[in-house]
């Protein structure tokens, strides 16, 4: 059956400008890091992506190595684009990234010009697109001159393969350097994608200030702390959860100390008539320098519940002070090595 999106898809979504650019993103964006590879039924992915667009989620975020296996999320998205979304390409923001390991050998990861531009070409082929709207350097490469990596992003724009460029998990200092290099080249740095949540607040001391000063947008990934800021782990590690699979969320992090924080935050959410996940998203969006929150979804129901966060984003001073007592670091920043350089 031909997909036809609902007419009122822009009625309820909120959009924020990315820094001082002309790019606006939905307050809730959909990331295809997990749940969209070949290990999941394509029809489930299709239902989630269709419903996301119906809810006004115009931004779909990918990377070359999303899956599993690597590349499969982009391949599946390419199928959905061809079958469902191609008539609406100009309503969509599609992003991809290059930086982590993708293929064997010295040219299959990090930030060399060779890797970054080859990766973009492969991503475009998998997705069946002529260009991506945002192309990111996925992580800082300490062994490649930053001028080379940023130069590759500039080339992507000048060759018409990307409209905007961004960086992910860069420190405040390296963000300033990247911004200066791109400014000199004439391709503005439009957005930064860091991890950020109530249990991972590393961007607050320096990075948010830098982004605000430079006029660069901020889209935060893992705002639900890879599921810890949901009701999933309130009573331990359920079978089949991300922590039970020894993947990106270590079961060692689900301990009594972290669960005490999560349960206290859940109590605050309950008093507000929200789920813990909804509180976590509202909290991340409390700062106007945060352009968008990037969520994953394993079902349409989960997606709808998270988007319902937008019904109540207002947090009182008293609520924020109470949240601060429990919203402390839980050693969840798996990407710290890149941002500490």
């Amino acid at each position: 059956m031909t997909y036809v999106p609902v007419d009122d898809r822009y009625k309820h979504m909120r959009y924020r400008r990315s820094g001082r650019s002309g790019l606006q993103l939905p307050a809730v964006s959909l990331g295809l890091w997990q749940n969209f590879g070949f290990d999941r039924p394509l029809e489930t992915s299709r239902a989630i992506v269709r419903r996301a667009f119906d809810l006004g989620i115009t931004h779909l975020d990918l990377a070359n190595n999303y899956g599993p296996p690597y590349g499969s999320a982009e391949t599946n998205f390419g199928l959905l684009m061809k079958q469902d979304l191609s008539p609406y390409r100009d309503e969509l923001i599609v992003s991809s990234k290059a930086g982590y390991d993708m293929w064997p050998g010295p040219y299959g990861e990090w930030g060399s010009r060779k890797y970054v531009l080859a990766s973009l070409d492969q991503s475009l082929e998998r997705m069946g697109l002529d260009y991506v709207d945002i192309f990111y350097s996925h992580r800082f490469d300490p062994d490649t001159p930053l001028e080379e990596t940023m130069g590759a992003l500039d080339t992507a724009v000048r060759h018409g393969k990307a409209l905007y460029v961004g960086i992910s998990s860069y420190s405040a200092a390296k963000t300033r350097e990247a911004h200066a290099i791109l400014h000199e080249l004439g391709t503005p740095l439009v957005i930064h994608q860091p991890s950020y949540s109530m249990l991972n607040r590393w961007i607050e001391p320096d990075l948010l200030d830098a982004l605000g000063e430079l006029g660069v947008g901020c889209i935060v990934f893992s705002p639900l702390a890879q599921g810890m800021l949901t009701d999933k782990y309130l009573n331990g590690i359920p079978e089949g959860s991300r922590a039970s699979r020894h993947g990106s969320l270590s079961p060692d992090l689900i301990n009594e100390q972290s669960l005490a924080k999560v349960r206290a935050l859940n109590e605050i959410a309950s008093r507000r008539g929200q789920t813990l996940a909804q509180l976590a998203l509202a909290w991340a969006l409390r700062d106007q320098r945060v352009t968008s929150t990037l969520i994953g979804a394993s079902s349409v129901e989960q997606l709808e519940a998270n988007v319902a966060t937008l019904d109540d984003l207002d947090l009182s001073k008293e609520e924020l002070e109470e949240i601060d007592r429990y919203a402390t670091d839980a050693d969840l920043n798996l990407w710290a090595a890149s941002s500490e350089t």
Side-chain angles (χ1 to χ4, degrees):
M1 183 179 295
T2 301
Y3 167 63
V4 179
V6 299
D7 290 335
D8 65 349
R9 56 188 175 276
Y10 297 113
K11 184 177 181 181
H12 301 294
M13 179 55 67
R14 305 189 191 192
Y15 298 87
R16 292 183 176 184
R17 193 169 297 277
S18 184
R20 289 195 288 267
S21 75
L23 178 64
Q24 296 185 59
L25 297 180
V28 175
S29 298
L30 181 62
L32 277 63
W33 176 26
Q34 310 270 356
N35 304 314
F36 291 88
F38 291 163
D39 61 332
R40 300 297 177 98
L42 182 62
E43 286 307 310
T44 301
S45 301
R46 169 177 280 117
I48 294 169
V49 170
R50 284 180 169 186
R51 184 59 180 145
F53 190 45
D54 283 345
L55 291 170
I57 295 178
T58 53
H59 177 32
L60 302 167
D61 180 78
L62 298 106
N64 56 359
N65 64 348
Y66 287 178
Y70 288 174
S72 60
E74 289 186 330
T75 299
N76 279 341
F77 176 73
L79 293 173
L80 301 182
M81 193 73 205
K82 181 179 180 180
Q83 296 172 16
D84 297 330
L85 296 174
S86 58
Y88 313 101
R89 176 66 182 97
D90 291 337
E91 297 182 44
L92 294 172
I93 299 295
V94 179
S95 61
S96 191
K97 315 177 194 73
Y100 285 94
D101 61 303
M102 186 60 190
W103 61 83
Y107 319 120
E109 64 175 324
W110 293 106
S112 70
R113 182 179 183 86
K114 168 75 172 175
Y115 168 64
V116 169
L117 293 176
S119 176
L120 176 56
D121 284 342
Q122 291 182 21
S123 290
L124 292 175
E125 183 175 359
R126 281 190 291 269
M127 293 187 286
L129 299 177
D130 296 325
Y131 68 93
V132 290
D133 298 274
I134 306 172
F135 185 50
Y136 291 90
S137 168
H138 208 166
R139 61 172 169 172
F140 173 70
D141 181 353
D143 296 319
T144 295
L146 193 54
E147 290 82 359
E148 180 175 339
T149 305
M150 295 303 105
L153 296 185
D154 173 69
T155 295
V157 172
R158 295 186 183 279
H159 287 189
K161 296 178 181 181
L163 300 185
Y164 301 96
V165 297
I167 56 178
S168 180
S169 299
Y170 277 50
S171 68
K174 292 302 177 184
T175 295
R176 291 182 185 277
E177 288 183 38
H179 178 273
I181 294 167
L182 286 167
H183 178 74
E184 186 172 341
L185 291 170
T187 294
L189 176 62
V190 167
I191 196 162
H192 189 299
Q193 186 176 130
S195 62
Y196 183 55
S197 73
M198 292 194 288
L199 301 179
N200 174 23
R201 301 177 64 166
W202 74 274
I203 69 175
E204 291 178 5
D206 302 302
L207 182 57
L208 273 177
D209 286 343
L211 297 178
E213 292 169 17
L214 298 171
V216 176
C218 179
I219 177 169
V220 298
F221 74 89
S222 203
L224 304 183
Q226 301 190 69
M228 279 188 67
L229 291 171
T230 69
D231 59 8
K232 186 178 297 182
Y233 298 104
L234 291 174
N235 299 304
I237 302 176
E239 185 177 349
S241 64
R242 191 179 300 189
S244 71
R245 299 195 299 268
H246 293 271
S248 55
L249 179 60
S250 169
D252 296 336
L253 298 175
I254 314 297
N255 51 51
E256 278 308 311
Q257 183 179 7
S258 62
L259 286 179
K261 298 178 185 180
V262 170
R263 289 167 183 150
L265 293 168
N266 186 59
E267 285 296 318
I268 299 171
S270 296
R271 294 201 301 269
R272 287 173 46 84
Q274 288 183 316
T275 65
L276 177 55
Q278 289 169 342
L279 173 66
L281 293 173
W283 180 88
L285 287 165
R286 78 198 187 286
D287 192 317
Q288 289 301 308
R289 292 171 296 184
V290 173
T291 310
S292 182
T293 54
L294 189 58
I295 65 165
S298 58
S299 68
V300 168
E301 293 75 21
Q302 183 185 38
L303 174 74
E304 291 174 338
N306 287 338
V307 173
T309 300
L310 303 180
D311 294 338
D312 186 6
L313 291 179
D314 296 328
L315 289 161
S316 69
K317 179 182 177 182
E318 292 75 22
E319 286 173 324
L320 289 172
E321 289 175 349
E322 185 178 7
I323 289 169
D324 277 343
R325 293 204 293 269
Y326 307 106
T328 57
D329 188 76
D331 199 26
L332 286 169
N333 189 0
L334 306 180
W335 309 271
S338 179
S339 55
E340 289 173 353
T341 305

